[in-house]
Amino acid sequence: MARSGKVAVIGAGFYGSTTAQRLAEYDIFETVVLTDIIEGKPEGLALDMNQSRPVEGFETKIVGQTTGRSGEGYEAIAGSGIVVITAGLPRKPGMSRMDLIETNAKIVRQVSENVAAHAPGAVVIVVSNPLDEMTALAQLATGFPHQRVLGQAGMLDTARFTHFVAEELGVPITSVTTLTLGSHGDTMVPVPSACEVDGKPLAELLPAGKIEELVTRTRNGGAEVVALLKTGSAYYAPSAAAARMARAVAEDSGAILPVCAWVDGEYGISGVYLGVEAELGRTGVRRVVERDLTPDERAALGQAAEAVRAKQADVQTL
Ligand SMILES: NC(=O)c1ccc[n+]([C@@H]2O[C@H](COP(=O)([O-])OP(=O)(O)OC[C@H]3O[C@@H](n4cnc5c(N)ncnc54)[C@H](O)[C@@H]3O)[C@@H](O)[C@H]2O)c1
C-alpha cells in the first residue's frame, strides 16, 4: 500500500508516544503528528522517534507539536484522517477508572473541541479513561456522527484474556481466540461461547473454575499492571490495540474488532456507547456486528449497557 495520509495522536504520555511509534513503524502514513500541553515533550519525542527511522527502515515522518489549552498549535493536526485521543491522567494504585472521570472529562472535552475545529473530517479513536464515558463525551463535544467516534477497550481486554489462556495451556498465542464485550471495567462481559483453542471450545480444555479465574484476572488486568508499576498504567498492549484500530480505518480494511461503538438497536440495546464487535473502515464504524450469544452472555451485555448508560448521561454536565 502506498504511504498516505496523516494521523494525529493527542497526548504524548506513555500511551500516546508508544501509539505514535507503532503507527510510524507501520510505514503506511505520510505523517504522524504527536501533541501534548507539556512544552517541548512532543517535539523531543518526535525527534527521538524520527531518529529510529534509519534503524527500523520506515519513511513516515513524526511531527511533534506543543498545544495550548485554547487551541494554540492545533493547526498541526489539520487534514488528519484519524485522531487518537490519549490525553488524560492514568490511574494510581488503588484507584478505579471512574475516579478519573471529572479530571479527564475536562481534558477530553477541551481536546475534542479543538479536534472538531481543526480536523473536522477525522475518525476519532478515544482511549482516555474511563473509556466508555470519555468516548461518549468526545462524540458530544466534537458533534461528529456516532460512527466516526469510537473507543479502544475491547481489543485490549480480549488480548489480555487471550494471553492468560495461552499461558495457562502453554500453547502459541495464535492458536487462541477469545472475546470480551461490554464495558471497560467491572461490567466487562467475557464471551466463553466465542473462545476457542485451535478450533476447540475453551470449555472442553479448561475447567469452569479455571476459566472464571482467568476472566477475573482479565477484568482486573489493568489494575494488576498499575499495582506493579506503582506510577502510571499499562501502555504496550493498549497502544498495540489503538494502533491496530487506526490501521484498520486507514486501510479501509473491514476488520471486525471488539471496540467501544455506538449501539443502535443491536442486541436489543440502543443509544449507548458499549463494547461490541464492529466492522471498521475509512468512515469509522461501518456496522456493529451482532453474534449469537448464550442467554447468560446476552443478559450480561444488557446489564453492562444499563450500567454505562447512566454514567454516560452524567458526562454531559462535566
Ligand atoms: N482504554 C484503555 O484501554 C486504556 C489503557 C491504558 C491507559 N488508558 C488511559 O489513557 C490515558 C493516558 O495514559 P498514559 O499512560 O499515556 O498517561 P500519561 O500520564 O503518561 O500521559 C498523559 C499525557 O496527556 C497529556 N495531557 C494532559 N492534558 C492534555 C491536554 N489538554 N491536551 C494534550 N495533552 C494533554 C499529559 O501532559 C501527559 O503527557 C489515561 O487516561 C489512561 O487511563 C486507557
PDB file of all heavy atoms in Angstrom, residues 10-16 36-38 41 69 74 86-91 100 104 107 110-111 127-129 131 152-153 156 184 233-234 238, ligand 1:
ATOM      1  N   ILE A  10      -3.133  12.710  20.243  1.00  0.00           N
ATOM      2  CA  ILE A  10      -3.199  13.810  21.205  1.00  0.00           C
ATOM      3  C   ILE A  10      -2.831  13.266  22.580  1.00  0.00           C
ATOM      4  O   ILE A  10      -3.498  12.358  23.091  1.00  0.00           O
ATOM      5  CB  ILE A  10      -4.628  14.430  21.262  1.00  0.00           C
ATOM      6  CG1 ILE A  10      -5.183  14.690  19.860  1.00  0.00           C
ATOM      7  CG2 ILE A  10      -4.629  15.689  22.127  1.00  0.00           C
ATOM      8  CD1 ILE A  10      -4.448  15.705  19.043  1.00  0.00           C
ATOM      9  N   GLY A  11      -1.803  13.853  23.183  1.00  0.00           N
ATOM     10  CA  GLY A  11      -1.294  13.348  24.449  1.00  0.00           C
ATOM     11  C   GLY A  11      -0.051  12.527  24.170  1.00  0.00           C
ATOM     12  O   GLY A  11      -0.129  11.486  23.505  1.00  0.00           O
ATOM     13  N   ALA A  12       1.108  13.031  24.631  1.00  0.00           N
ATOM     14  CA  ALA A  12       2.373  12.351  24.344  1.00  0.00           C
ATOM     15  C   ALA A  12       2.926  11.675  25.592  1.00  0.00           C
ATOM     16  O   ALA A  12       4.125  11.666  25.839  1.00  0.00           O
ATOM     17  CB  ALA A  12       3.372  13.355  23.766  1.00  0.00           C
ATOM     18  N   GLY A  13       2.019  11.131  26.394  1.00  0.00           N
ATOM     19  CA  GLY A  13       2.451  10.361  27.565  1.00  0.00           C
ATOM     20  C   GLY A  13       2.862   8.967  27.103  1.00  0.00           C
ATOM     21  O   GLY A  13       3.192   8.744  25.934  1.00  0.00           O
ATOM     22  N   PHE A  14       2.804   8.014  28.031  1.00  0.00           N
ATOM     23  CA  PHE A  14       3.227   6.655  27.682  1.00  0.00           C
ATOM     24  C   PHE A  14       2.342   6.054  26.592  1.00  0.00           C
ATOM     25  O   PHE A  14       2.830   5.445  25.643  1.00  0.00           O
ATOM     26  CB  PHE A  14       3.221   5.767  28.932  1.00  0.00           C
ATOM     27  CG  PHE A  14       4.334   6.100  29.876  1.00  0.00           C
ATOM     28  CD1 PHE A  14       4.082   6.663  31.120  1.00  0.00           C
ATOM     29  CD2 PHE A  14       5.651   5.852  29.514  1.00  0.00           C
ATOM     30  CE1 PHE A  14       5.120   6.976  31.980  1.00  0.00           C
ATOM     31  CE2 PHE A  14       6.696   6.159  30.371  1.00  0.00           C
ATOM     32  CZ  PHE A  14       6.428   6.730  31.610  1.00  0.00           C
ATOM     33  N   TYR A  15       1.023   6.214  26.744  1.00  0.00           N
ATOM     34  CA  TYR A  15       0.104   5.630  25.768  1.00  0.00           C
ATOM     35  C   TYR A  15       0.272   6.316  24.413  1.00  0.00           C
ATOM     36  O   TYR A  15       0.400   5.663  23.369  1.00  0.00           O
ATOM     37  CB  TYR A  15      -1.348   5.756  26.276  1.00  0.00           C
ATOM     38  CG  TYR A  15      -2.331   4.818  25.636  1.00  0.00           C
ATOM     39  CD1 TYR A  15      -3.397   4.299  26.368  1.00  0.00           C
ATOM     40  CD2 TYR A  15      -2.220   4.435  24.306  1.00  0.00           C
ATOM     41  CE1 TYR A  15      -4.314   3.431  25.797  1.00  0.00           C
ATOM     42  CE2 TYR A  15      -3.134   3.561  23.725  1.00  0.00           C
ATOM     43  CZ  TYR A  15      -4.173   3.071  24.473  1.00  0.00           C
ATOM     44  OH  TYR A  15      -5.082   2.216  23.905  1.00  0.00           O
ATOM     45  N   GLY A  16       0.278   7.641  24.419  1.00  0.00           N
ATOM     46  CA  GLY A  16       0.344   8.373  23.159  1.00  0.00           C
ATOM     47  C   GLY A  16       1.653   8.159  22.423  1.00  0.00           C
ATOM     48  O   GLY A  16       1.672   7.955  21.198  1.00  0.00           O
ATOM     49  N   ASP A  36       1.036  17.527  22.783  1.00  0.00           N
ATOM     50  CA  ASP A  36       0.875  17.493  24.242  1.00  0.00           C
ATOM     51  C   ASP A  36       0.895  18.939  24.738  1.00  0.00           C
ATOM     52  O   ASP A  36       1.371  19.835  24.028  1.00  0.00           O
ATOM     53  CB  ASP A  36       2.005  16.698  24.915  1.00  0.00           C
ATOM     54  CG  ASP A  36       1.607  16.177  26.295  1.00  0.00           C
ATOM     55  OD1 ASP A  36       1.558  16.980  27.263  1.00  0.00           O
ATOM     56  OD2 ASP A  36       1.331  14.968  26.413  1.00  0.00           O
ATOM     57  N   ILE A  37       0.386  19.147  25.946  1.00  0.00           N
ATOM     58  CA  ILE A  37       0.437  20.503  26.513  1.00  0.00           C
ATOM     59  C   ILE A  37       1.750  20.769  27.249  1.00  0.00           C
ATOM     60  O   ILE A  37       2.008  21.886  27.661  1.00  0.00           O
ATOM     61  CB  ILE A  37      -0.747  20.772  27.486  1.00  0.00           C
ATOM     62  CG1 ILE A  37      -0.900  19.612  28.461  1.00  0.00           C
ATOM     63  CG2 ILE A  37      -2.034  21.020  26.725  1.00  0.00           C
ATOM     64  CD1 ILE A  37      -1.782  19.929  29.647  1.00  0.00           C
ATOM     65  N   ILE A  38       2.562  19.748  27.450  1.00  0.00           N
ATOM     66  CA  ILE A  38       3.859  19.990  28.117  1.00  0.00           C
ATOM     67  C   ILE A  38       4.852  20.456  27.061  1.00  0.00           C
ATOM     68  O   ILE A  38       5.181  19.710  26.125  1.00  0.00           O
ATOM     69  CB  ILE A  38       4.373  18.720  28.815  1.00  0.00           C
ATOM     70  CG1 ILE A  38       3.364  18.279  29.878  1.00  0.00           C
ATOM     71  CG2 ILE A  38       5.751  18.962  29.446  1.00  0.00           C
ATOM     72  CD1 ILE A  38       3.734  16.996  30.587  1.00  0.00           C
ATOM     73  N   LYS A  41       7.785  18.458  25.023  1.00  0.00           N
ATOM     74  CA  LYS A  41       7.705  16.991  25.155  1.00  0.00           C
ATOM     75  C   LYS A  41       7.382  16.319  23.814  1.00  0.00           C
ATOM     76  O   LYS A  41       8.104  15.392  23.405  1.00  0.00           O
ATOM     77  CB  LYS A  41       6.675  16.626  26.226  1.00  0.00           C
ATOM     78  CG  LYS A  41       6.558  15.143  26.518  1.00  0.00           C
ATOM     79  CD  LYS A  41       5.569  14.884  27.654  1.00  0.00           C
ATOM     80  CE  LYS A  41       5.485  13.415  28.016  1.00  0.00           C
ATOM     81  NZ  LYS A  41       4.484  13.143  29.049  1.00  0.00           N
ATOM     82  N   ARG A  69      -4.091  25.280  25.846  1.00  0.00           N
ATOM     83  CA  ARG A  69      -5.451  24.861  26.203  1.00  0.00           C
ATOM     84  C   ARG A  69      -6.500  25.559  25.340  1.00  0.00           C
ATOM     85  O   ARG A  69      -7.612  25.069  25.178  1.00  0.00           O
ATOM     86  CB  ARG A  69      -5.715  25.139  27.691  1.00  0.00           C
ATOM     87  CG  ARG A  69      -4.922  24.178  28.557  1.00  0.00           C
ATOM     88  CD  ARG A  69      -5.199  24.374  30.035  1.00  0.00           C
ATOM     89  NE  ARG A  69      -4.107  23.824  30.839  1.00  0.00           N
ATOM     90  CZ  ARG A  69      -3.997  22.541  31.180  1.00  0.00           C
ATOM     91  NH1 ARG A  69      -4.901  21.679  30.812  1.00  0.00           N
ATOM     92  NH2 ARG A  69      -2.980  22.135  31.897  1.00  0.00           N
ATOM     93  N   TYR A  74      -2.870  23.661  17.366  1.00  0.00           N
ATOM     94  CA  TYR A  74      -3.713  22.602  16.787  1.00  0.00           C
ATOM     95  C   TYR A  74      -3.721  22.603  15.255  1.00  0.00           C
ATOM     96  O   TYR A  74      -4.179  21.644  14.640  1.00  0.00           O
ATOM     97  CB  TYR A  74      -5.152  22.667  17.327  1.00  0.00           C
ATOM     98  CG  TYR A  74      -5.349  21.763  18.536  1.00  0.00           C
ATOM     99  CD1 TYR A  74      -5.081  22.222  19.820  1.00  0.00           C
ATOM    100  CD2 TYR A  74      -5.770  20.451  18.391  1.00  0.00           C
ATOM    101  CE1 TYR A  74      -5.240  21.404  20.928  1.00  0.00           C
ATOM    102  CE2 TYR A  74      -5.928  19.613  19.491  1.00  0.00           C
ATOM    103  CZ  TYR A  74      -5.666  20.098  20.760  1.00  0.00           C
ATOM    104  OH  TYR A  74      -5.819  19.272  21.846  1.00  0.00           O
ATOM    105  N   THR A  86      -5.425  10.371  23.580  1.00  0.00           N
ATOM    106  CA  THR A  86      -4.856   9.674  24.752  1.00  0.00           C
ATOM    107  C   THR A  86      -4.648  10.643  25.917  1.00  0.00           C
ATOM    108  O   THR A  86      -4.141  10.239  26.960  1.00  0.00           O
ATOM    109  CB  THR A  86      -3.486   9.019  24.431  1.00  0.00           C
ATOM    110  OG1 THR A  86      -2.461  10.020  24.442  1.00  0.00           O
ATOM    111  CG2 THR A  86      -3.472   8.323  23.092  1.00  0.00           C
ATOM    112  N   ALA A  87      -4.995  11.913  25.722  1.00  0.00           N
ATOM    113  CA  ALA A  87      -4.753  12.917  26.775  1.00  0.00           C
ATOM    114  C   ALA A  87      -5.590  12.590  28.004  1.00  0.00           C
ATOM    115  O   ALA A  87      -6.763  12.241  27.886  1.00  0.00           O
ATOM    116  CB  ALA A  87      -5.101  14.300  26.245  1.00  0.00           C
ATOM    117  N   GLY A  88      -4.989  12.726  29.158  1.00  0.00           N
ATOM    118  CA  GLY A  88      -5.719  12.466  30.396  1.00  0.00           C
ATOM    119  C   GLY A  88      -4.854  11.734  31.390  1.00  0.00           C
ATOM    120  O   GLY A  88      -3.840  11.141  31.032  1.00  0.00           O
ATOM    121  N   LEU A  89      -5.255  11.812  32.663  1.00  0.00           N
ATOM    122  CA  LEU A  89      -4.468  11.161  33.705  1.00  0.00           C
ATOM    123  C   LEU A  89      -4.696   9.658  33.682  1.00  0.00           C
ATOM    124  O   LEU A  89      -5.791   9.202  33.408  1.00  0.00           O
ATOM    125  CB  LEU A  89      -4.889  11.675  35.090  1.00  0.00           C
ATOM    126  CG  LEU A  89      -4.796  13.165  35.367  1.00  0.00           C
ATOM    127  CD1 LEU A  89      -5.013  13.410  36.860  1.00  0.00           C
ATOM    128  CD2 LEU A  89      -3.446  13.720  34.938  1.00  0.00           C
ATOM    129  N   PRO A  90      -3.630   8.889  33.990  1.00  0.00           N
ATOM    130  CA  PRO A  90      -3.829   7.450  34.214  1.00  0.00           C
ATOM    131  C   PRO A  90      -4.127   7.190  35.692  1.00  0.00           C
ATOM    132  O   PRO A  90      -4.015   8.098  36.525  1.00  0.00           O
ATOM    133  CB  PRO A  90      -2.472   6.873  33.819  1.00  0.00           C
ATOM    134  CG  PRO A  90      -1.485   7.959  34.130  1.00  0.00           C
ATOM    135  CD  PRO A  90      -2.213   9.284  34.071  1.00  0.00           C
ATOM    136  N   ARG A  91      -4.485   5.948  35.986  1.00  0.00           N
ATOM    137  CA  ARG A  91      -4.789   5.588  37.385  1.00  0.00           C
ATOM    138  C   ARG A  91      -3.528   5.495  38.228  1.00  0.00           C
ATOM    139  O   ARG A  91      -2.450   5.221  37.717  1.00  0.00           O
ATOM    140  CB  ARG A  91      -5.449   4.214  37.428  1.00  0.00           C
ATOM    141  CG  ARG A  91      -6.860   4.242  37.029  1.00  0.00           C
ATOM    142  CD  ARG A  91      -7.500   2.907  37.320  1.00  0.00           C
ATOM    143  NE  ARG A  91      -7.225   1.895  36.318  1.00  0.00           N
ATOM    144  CZ  ARG A  91      -7.593   0.630  36.429  1.00  0.00           C
ATOM    145  NH1 ARG A  91      -8.219   0.220  37.519  1.00  0.00           N
ATOM    146  NH2 ARG A  91      -7.348  -0.233  35.476  1.00  0.00           N
ATOM    147  N   LEU A 100     -11.215   8.886  37.720  1.00  0.00           N
ATOM    148  CA  LEU A 100     -10.572   9.869  36.826  1.00  0.00           C
ATOM    149  C   LEU A 100     -11.596  10.739  36.102  1.00  0.00           C
ATOM    150  O   LEU A 100     -11.220  11.659  35.369  1.00  0.00           O
ATOM    151  CB  LEU A 100      -9.743   9.134  35.752  1.00  0.00           C
ATOM    152  CG  LEU A 100      -8.630   8.209  36.226  1.00  0.00           C
ATOM    153  CD1 LEU A 100      -8.157   7.325  35.075  1.00  0.00           C
ATOM    154  CD2 LEU A 100      -7.460   9.027  36.761  1.00  0.00           C
ATOM    155  N   ASN A 104     -10.489  13.965  33.760  1.00  0.00           N
ATOM    156  CA  ASN A 104     -10.310  13.623  32.347  1.00  0.00           C
ATOM    157  C   ASN A 104     -11.436  14.155  31.468  1.00  0.00           C
ATOM    158  O   ASN A 104     -11.221  14.430  30.283  1.00  0.00           O
ATOM    159  CB  ASN A 104     -10.128  12.105  32.188  1.00  0.00           C
ATOM    160  CG  ASN A 104      -8.730  11.664  32.601  1.00  0.00           C
ATOM    161  OD1 ASN A 104      -7.893  12.505  32.929  1.00  0.00           O
ATOM    162  ND2 ASN A 104      -8.474  10.380  32.599  1.00  0.00           N
ATOM    163  N   ILE A 107     -10.365  17.518  30.280  1.00  0.00           N
ATOM    164  CA  ILE A 107      -9.305  17.408  29.265  1.00  0.00           C
ATOM    165  C   ILE A 107      -9.893  16.923  27.934  1.00  0.00           C
ATOM    166  O   ILE A 107      -9.639  17.513  26.879  1.00  0.00           O
ATOM    167  CB  ILE A 107      -8.199  16.441  29.758  1.00  0.00           C
ATOM    168  CG1 ILE A 107      -7.488  17.029  30.987  1.00  0.00           C
ATOM    169  CG2 ILE A 107      -7.206  16.112  28.649  1.00  0.00           C
ATOM    170  CD1 ILE A 107      -6.518  16.079  31.691  1.00  0.00           C
ATOM    171  N   GLN A 110     -12.034  19.564  26.130  1.00  0.00           N
ATOM    172  CA  GLN A 110     -11.232  20.626  25.517  1.00  0.00           C
ATOM    173  C   GLN A 110     -10.505  20.104  24.266  1.00  0.00           C
ATOM    174  O   GLN A 110     -10.508  20.752  23.214  1.00  0.00           O
ATOM    175  CB  GLN A 110     -10.242  21.139  26.586  1.00  0.00           C
ATOM    176  CG  GLN A 110      -9.276  22.206  26.142  1.00  0.00           C
ATOM    177  CD  GLN A 110      -7.862  21.660  25.953  1.00  0.00           C
ATOM    178  OE1 GLN A 110      -7.392  20.827  26.715  1.00  0.00           O
ATOM    179  NE2 GLN A 110      -7.191  22.127  24.926  1.00  0.00           N
ATOM    180  N   VAL A 111      -9.932  18.913  24.375  1.00  0.00           N
ATOM    181  CA  VAL A 111      -9.237  18.319  23.222  1.00  0.00           C
ATOM    182  C   VAL A 111     -10.224  18.092  22.075  1.00  0.00           C
ATOM    183  O   VAL A 111      -9.950  18.425  20.917  1.00  0.00           O
ATOM    184  CB  VAL A 111      -8.559  16.986  23.629  1.00  0.00           C
ATOM    185  CG1 VAL A 111      -8.113  16.190  22.407  1.00  0.00           C
ATOM    186  CG2 VAL A 111      -7.375  17.241  24.561  1.00  0.00           C
ATOM    187  N   VAL A 127      -9.026   6.810  23.881  1.00  0.00           N
ATOM    188  CA  VAL A 127      -8.509   5.792  24.802  1.00  0.00           C
ATOM    189  C   VAL A 127      -8.509   6.289  26.253  1.00  0.00           C
ATOM    190  O   VAL A 127      -8.335   5.495  27.174  1.00  0.00           O
ATOM    191  CB  VAL A 127      -7.082   5.314  24.414  1.00  0.00           C
ATOM    192  CG1 VAL A 127      -6.989   4.985  22.939  1.00  0.00           C
ATOM    193  CG2 VAL A 127      -6.016   6.286  24.796  1.00  0.00           C
ATOM    194  N   SER A 128      -8.687   7.597  26.455  1.00  0.00           N
ATOM    195  CA  SER A 128      -8.634   8.147  27.814  1.00  0.00           C
ATOM    196  C   SER A 128      -9.715   7.497  28.684  1.00  0.00           C
ATOM    197  O   SER A 128     -10.811   7.200  28.221  1.00  0.00           O
ATOM    198  CB  SER A 128      -8.857   9.664  27.768  1.00  0.00           C
ATOM    199  OG  SER A 128      -8.074  10.251  26.752  1.00  0.00           O
ATOM    200  N   ASN A 129      -9.401   7.327  29.948  1.00  0.00           N
ATOM    201  CA  ASN A 129     -10.325   6.661  30.872  1.00  0.00           C
ATOM    202  C   ASN A 129     -11.127   7.645  31.714  1.00  0.00           C
ATOM    203  O   ASN A 129     -10.658   8.757  31.943  1.00  0.00           O
ATOM    204  CB  ASN A 129      -9.523   5.748  31.805  1.00  0.00           C
ATOM    205  CG  ASN A 129      -9.346   4.364  31.224  1.00  0.00           C
ATOM    206  OD1 ASN A 129     -10.262   3.819  30.624  1.00  0.00           O
ATOM    207  ND2 ASN A 129      -8.161   3.797  31.418  1.00  0.00           N
ATOM    208  N   LEU A 131     -13.148   4.839  29.868  1.00  0.00           N
ATOM    209  CA  LEU A 131     -13.186   4.794  28.403  1.00  0.00           C
ATOM    210  C   LEU A 131     -14.571   4.997  27.793  1.00  0.00           C
ATOM    211  O   LEU A 131     -14.741   5.816  26.895  1.00  0.00           O
ATOM    212  CB  LEU A 131     -12.573   3.451  27.974  1.00  0.00           C
ATOM    213  CG  LEU A 131     -12.300   3.205  26.503  1.00  0.00           C
ATOM    214  CD1 LEU A 131     -13.498   2.662  25.762  1.00  0.00           C
ATOM    215  CD2 LEU A 131     -11.769   4.446  25.780  1.00  0.00           C
ATOM    216  N   GLN A 152     -11.234   2.567  22.372  1.00  0.00           N
ATOM    217  CA  GLN A 152     -10.422   1.349  22.482  1.00  0.00           C
ATOM    218  C   GLN A 152     -10.515   0.780  23.889  1.00  0.00           C
ATOM    219  O   GLN A 152     -10.126   1.441  24.834  1.00  0.00           O
ATOM    220  CB  GLN A 152      -8.964   1.638  22.150  1.00  0.00           C
ATOM    221  CG  GLN A 152      -8.070   0.399  22.044  1.00  0.00           C
ATOM    222  CD  GLN A 152      -7.946  -0.430  23.303  1.00  0.00           C
ATOM    223  OE1 GLN A 152      -8.375  -1.588  23.351  1.00  0.00           O
ATOM    224  NE2 GLN A 152      -7.380   0.151  24.347  1.00  0.00           N
ATOM    225  N   ALA A 153     -11.019  -0.421  24.000  1.00  0.00           N
ATOM    226  CA  ALA A 153     -11.003  -1.142  25.276  1.00  0.00           C
ATOM    227  C   ALA A 153     -11.107  -2.639  25.017  1.00  0.00           C
ATOM    228  O   ALA A 153     -10.318  -3.427  25.517  1.00  0.00           O
ATOM    229  CB  ALA A 153     -12.143  -0.693  26.178  1.00  0.00           C
ATOM    230  N   LEU A 156      -8.085  -4.611  23.895  1.00  0.00           N
ATOM    231  CA  LEU A 156      -7.118  -4.815  24.975  1.00  0.00           C
ATOM    232  C   LEU A 156      -7.602  -5.904  25.930  1.00  0.00           C
ATOM    233  O   LEU A 156      -6.836  -6.811  26.280  1.00  0.00           O
ATOM    234  CB  LEU A 156      -6.908  -3.490  25.732  1.00  0.00           C
ATOM    235  CG  LEU A 156      -6.087  -3.583  27.009  1.00  0.00           C
ATOM    236  CD1 LEU A 156      -4.667  -4.050  26.716  1.00  0.00           C
ATOM    237  CD2 LEU A 156      -6.066  -2.224  27.722  1.00  0.00           C
ATOM    238  N   HIS A 184     -15.477  -1.336  29.665  1.00  0.00           N
ATOM    239  CA  HIS A 184     -14.081  -1.469  30.107  1.00  0.00           C
ATOM    240  C   HIS A 184     -14.095  -1.228  31.602  1.00  0.00           C
ATOM    241  O   HIS A 184     -13.915  -0.122  32.057  1.00  0.00           O
ATOM    242  CB  HIS A 184     -13.257  -0.393  29.397  1.00  0.00           C
ATOM    243  CG  HIS A 184     -11.776  -0.551  29.554  1.00  0.00           C
ATOM    244  ND1 HIS A 184     -11.125  -1.756  29.459  1.00  0.00           N
ATOM    245  CD2 HIS A 184     -10.806   0.369  29.764  1.00  0.00           C
ATOM    246  CE1 HIS A 184      -9.815  -1.566  29.617  1.00  0.00           C
ATOM    247  NE2 HIS A 184      -9.600  -0.296  29.809  1.00  0.00           N
ATOM    248  N   SER A 233       0.065   3.624  34.181  1.00  0.00           N
ATOM    249  CA  SER A 233      -0.677   2.405  33.872  1.00  0.00           C
ATOM    250  C   SER A 233      -0.121   1.760  32.602  1.00  0.00           C
ATOM    251  O   SER A 233       0.853   2.250  32.029  1.00  0.00           O
ATOM    252  CB  SER A 233      -2.179   2.705  33.759  1.00  0.00           C
ATOM    253  OG  SER A 233      -2.450   3.622  32.737  1.00  0.00           O
ATOM    254  N   ALA A 234      -0.760   0.678  32.181  1.00  0.00           N
ATOM    255  CA  ALA A 234      -0.260  -0.105  31.042  1.00  0.00           C
ATOM    256  C   ALA A 234      -0.251   0.723  29.769  1.00  0.00           C
ATOM    257  O   ALA A 234      -1.097   1.603  29.593  1.00  0.00           O
ATOM    258  CB  ALA A 234      -1.160  -1.326  30.851  1.00  0.00           C
ATOM    259  N   PRO A 238      -2.098  -1.710  25.392  1.00  0.00           N
ATOM    260  CA  PRO A 238      -3.110  -0.718  24.984  1.00  0.00           C
ATOM    261  C   PRO A 238      -2.755  -0.005  23.674  1.00  0.00           C
ATOM    262  O   PRO A 238      -3.597   0.169  22.802  1.00  0.00           O
ATOM    263  CB  PRO A 238      -3.132   0.264  26.157  1.00  0.00           C
ATOM    264  CG  PRO A 238      -2.715  -0.551  27.339  1.00  0.00           C
ATOM    265  CD  PRO A 238      -1.698  -1.517  26.817  1.00  0.00           C
TER     266      PRO A 238
HETATM  267  N1  LIG B   1      -8.629   2.469  27.029  1.00  0.00           N
HETATM  268  C1  LIG B   1      -7.673   1.729  27.549  1.00  0.00           C
HETATM  269  O1  LIG B   1      -7.666   0.528  27.388  1.00  0.00           O
HETATM  270  C2  LIG B   1      -6.556   2.374  28.329  1.00  0.00           C
HETATM  271  C3  LIG B   1      -5.427   1.625  28.705  1.00  0.00           C
HETATM  272  C4  LIG B   1      -4.389   2.276  29.369  1.00  0.00           C
HETATM  273  C5  LIG B   1      -4.481   3.629  29.686  1.00  0.00           C
HETATM  274  N2  LIG B   1      -5.613   4.314  29.329  1.00  0.00           N
HETATM  275  C6  LIG B   1      -5.775   5.748  29.610  1.00  0.00           C
HETATM  276  O2  LIG B   1      -5.039   6.511  28.660  1.00  0.00           O
HETATM  277  C7  LIG B   1      -4.747   7.799  29.237  1.00  0.00           C
HETATM  278  C8  LIG B   1      -3.276   8.144  29.018  1.00  0.00           C
HETATM  279  O3  LIG B   1      -2.459   7.231  29.704  1.00  0.00           O
HETATM  280  P1  LIG B   1      -0.870   7.440  29.753  1.00  0.00           P
HETATM  281  O4  LIG B   1      -0.307   6.226  30.367  1.00  0.00           O
HETATM  282  O5  LIG B   1      -0.364   7.887  28.435  1.00  0.00           O
HETATM  283  O6  LIG B   1      -0.764   8.666  30.782  1.00  0.00           O
HETATM  284  P2  LIG B   1       0.455   9.737  30.878  1.00  0.00           P
HETATM  285  O7  LIG B   1       0.276  10.452  32.161  1.00  0.00           O
HETATM  286  O8  LIG B   1       1.738   9.049  30.582  1.00  0.00           O
HETATM  287  O9  LIG B   1       0.178  10.736  29.659  1.00  0.00           O
HETATM  288  C9  LIG B   1      -0.922  11.576  29.573  1.00  0.00           C
HETATM  289  C10 LIG B   1      -0.471  12.775  28.754  1.00  0.00           C
HETATM  290  O10 LIG B   1      -1.631  13.584  28.474  1.00  0.00           O
HETATM  291  C11 LIG B   1      -1.159  14.925  28.453  1.00  0.00           C
HETATM  292  N3  LIG B   1      -2.270  15.883  28.532  1.00  0.00           N
HETATM  293  C12 LIG B   1      -2.980  16.254  29.622  1.00  0.00           C
HETATM  294  N4  LIG B   1      -3.892  17.180  29.279  1.00  0.00           N
HETATM  295  C13 LIG B   1      -3.760  17.387  27.953  1.00  0.00           C
HETATM  296  C14 LIG B   1      -4.399  18.237  27.016  1.00  0.00           C
HETATM  297  N5  LIG B   1      -5.399  19.041  27.394  1.00  0.00           N
HETATM  298  N6  LIG B   1      -4.004  18.188  25.731  1.00  0.00           N
HETATM  299  C15 LIG B   1      -2.991  17.376  25.329  1.00  0.00           C
HETATM  300  N7  LIG B   1      -2.337  16.555  26.182  1.00  0.00           N
HETATM  301  C16 LIG B   1      -2.713  16.568  27.470  1.00  0.00           C
HETATM  302  C17 LIG B   1      -0.218  14.990  29.643  1.00  0.00           C
HETATM  303  O11 LIG B   1       0.637  16.129  29.590  1.00  0.00           O
HETATM  304  C18 LIG B   1       0.530  13.672  29.507  1.00  0.00           C
HETATM  305  O12 LIG B   1       1.730  13.804  28.741  1.00  0.00           O
HETATM  306  C19 LIG B   1      -5.167   7.700  30.699  1.00  0.00           C
HETATM  307  O13 LIG B   1      -6.438   8.295  30.889  1.00  0.00           O
HETATM  308  C20 LIG B   1      -5.243   6.210  30.942  1.00  0.00           C
HETATM  309  O14 LIG B   1      -6.114   5.871  31.988  1.00  0.00           O
HETATM  310  C21 LIG B   1      -6.626   3.707  28.656  1.00  0.00           C
END
